[in-house]
Each structure stands twice: as structure tokens, then as C-alpha cells.
């Protein structure tokens, strides 16, 4: 069965960086896009970016340009999201999600499978 | 950029029908996906491609999409349906997903 397992909760100081991992299993990792979505406390879902695990190509939300880097390791079937210059308003649950659309085409489709979420707390 | 608009909250009595709308410019030309999110949990797809239902999702959940409005309809609402519901489309001009702001469904 498809599973996305994320790394554990993090507490960071303002200005630091955080790296969240998302290990995929149960499907061909390179076959489907991975989205990164975050949710601040009491707020809605906010798209951060996506990565094509096959090509390594990425697209980032304008809000995160210059601060976020998404990578993958196809030998480990794992995607990574690195966010730098952390601020208190980056405190959120960060999710990875598998998009149903194939990586050989532009990204489309619903995100049927989600990781369990990683809480990142930014506090001095 | 493309914007999806949802009402912040909807209230419905148990056993009644809840309609949750998602507004967007010519949204009828896009495929709309709906997610249910309960506190402390990851989102779950309840309807995809406007009106398809994943296996395991009750038939009480249905979707439609036309013009500038997509609608998620939940019939015979039960207490267990209390959750936040988000619509989502892809902005094909910029190759990125767009989420609505979410609607909190309260079962009175």
C-alpha cells in the first residue's frame, strides 16, 4: 500500500533552517509528483511547491521563492523540503503529498496520499 | 493568480443536506477535488475530478461543477462529518495547485 512517512517534529530558532523528509513506499517513487503543503495553526492549506522525482524539476510558490529548496533521493525513495530563514510565522504542520498525475506529464490530479505531517515550531 | 473562494463555515442539522461551495473564475472548465480534514489529521480526498468518489467514501458525498461554482454535497449529514473541507484545482497557466480557504462544517 502507498505510504508517505515524514520525519519527526522540529523546534527551531528564528533564522535557522529546517529539513523535512518524506519517505515513499508502495509505488514507483519516480512516477508521480510530490507536493509540499503547510498548515499554520488554525489556518488553511498552503501550497509551497512540488518536485518531479523523476527529473528533479521543481516549482515553488512565489511566497517561498529564495527560501525553500526541494530535492529527492531516488535511491532512498525520499523527498526533502528545506526551508531557510525561519520566522515565527513559519510555525506550521508541513505535509508531503503524492499527486495522482504521472511525472511524465505536467502536474495534475488530486493528492490522494499524504504524509502524517511534521510540526515545525519556530521560537526563540 | 487563480483564486478559489469558500465560505468560512456552514452549519447543518443531523440528517439534513450540507452544500459547500467553491467559487472560481470559470471553475467549470477545471477539475475540482475536495478534501476533508479532521483535527490533527491529514486531508483525505472525498471527491475528485468534480464528482468521482474514492473507494471507501460514502455515497452521501457527491460533487458537481459548472460555471463559476463547484459544490460538494453531503446528504444525511452525521456528527462524524464535522470537519474542514477544502476545494482544490490546478492553475494550468502556472502549473501549481490552488486550494480554497476551507469551510468548517458544523453539525448542530
Amino acid at each position: 500500500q502507498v505510504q508517505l512517512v515524514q520525519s519527526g517534529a522540529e523546534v527551531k530558532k528564528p533564522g535557522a533552517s529546517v529539513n523535512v523528509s518524506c519517505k515513499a513506499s508502495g509505488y514507483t517513487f519516480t512516477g508521480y509528483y510530490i507536493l509540499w503543503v503547510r498548515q499554520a495553526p488554525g489556518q488553511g492549506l498552503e501550497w509551497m511547491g512540488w518536485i518531479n522525482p523523476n527529473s528533479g524539476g521543481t516549482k515553488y510558490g512565489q511566497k517561498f521563492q529564495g527560501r525553500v529548496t526541494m530535492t529527492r533521493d531516488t535511491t532512498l525513495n525520499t523527498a526533502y523540503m528545506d526551508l531557510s530563514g525561519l520566522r515565527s510565522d513559519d510555525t506550521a504542520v508541513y505535509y508531503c503529498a503524492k499527486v495522482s498525475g504521472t511525472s511524465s506529464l505536467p502536474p495534475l490530479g488530486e493528492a490522494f496520499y499524504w504524509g502524517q505531517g511534521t510540526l515545525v515550531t519556530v521560537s526563540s | 493568480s487563480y483564486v478559489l473562494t469558500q465560505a468560512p463555515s456552514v452549519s447543518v442539522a443531523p440528517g439534513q443536506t450540507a452544500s459547500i461551495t467553491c467559487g472560481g473564475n470559470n471553475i467549470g472548465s477545471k477539475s475540482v477535488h475536495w478534501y476533508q480534514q479532521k483535527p490533527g489529521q491529514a486531508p483525505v480526498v472525498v471527491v475528485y475530478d468534480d464528482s468521482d468518489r474514492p473507494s471507501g467514501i460514502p455515497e452521501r458525498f457527491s460533487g458537481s461543477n459548472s460555471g463559476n461554482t463547484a459544490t460538494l454535497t453531503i446528504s444525511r449529514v452525521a456528527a462524524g462529518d464535522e470537519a474542514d473541507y477544502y476545494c482544490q484545482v490546478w492553475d494550468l497557466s502556472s502549473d501549481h495547485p490552488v486550494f480554497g480557504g476551507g469551510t468548517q462544517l458544523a453539525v448542530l
Side-chain angles (χ1 to χ4, degrees), chain A residues 39 47 50 59 95 109 111-112, chain B residues 35 37 86 90 94-97:
Chain A
Q39 187 170 38
W47 173 73
W50 55 249
K59 189 162 187 91
Y95 292 101
F112 198 83
Chain B
Y35 301 85
Q37 187 183 33
Y86 296 89
W90 281 86
S94 54
D95 272 347
H96 72 77

Side-chain angles (χ1 to χ4, degrees), chain B residues 14 22 24 27 29 34-35 40 53 64 66 68 72 74 77 80 82 88 96 98-99 101 105:
Chain B
C22 177
I27 195 174
S29 66
W34 290 94
Y35 301 85
R53 204 173 41 250
S64 63
S66 179
N68 293 319
L72 173 69
I74 310 170
V77 168
E82 275 204 340
Q88 180 247 313
H96 72 77
V98 179
F99 288 95
L105 176 66

Side-chain angles (χ1 to χ4, degrees), chain A residues 33 35 37 39 43-47 50 59 95 99 106-117, chain B residues 33 35 37 40-45 48-49 54-55 84 86 88 90 92 94-97 99-101:
Chain A
Y33 290 85
L35 297 182
V37 176
Q39 187 170 38
Q43 302 301 306
L45 303 173
E46 182 176 32
W47 173 73
W50 55 249
K59 189 162 187 91
Y95 292 101
V99 180
L108 268 183
E110 75 283 5
F112 198 83
Y113 296 98
W114 294 67
Q116 81 277 20
Chain B
H33 316 299
Y35 301 85
Q37 187 183 33
Q41 298 182 17
V44 172
V45 175
Y48 66 99
D49 289 347
S55 60
D84 294 325
Y86 296 89
Q88 180 247 313
W90 281 86
L92 300 183
S94 54
D95 272 347
H96 72 77
F99 288 95

Side-chain angles (χ1 to χ4, degrees), chain A residues 70-87:
Chain A
M70 295 176 186
T71 57
R72 92 295 190 211
D73 185 330
T74 58
T75 65
L76 297 177
N77 288 348
T78 301
Y80 303 92
M81 188 282 298
D82 194 283
L83 186 64
S84 62
L86 289 170
R87 307 182 290 252

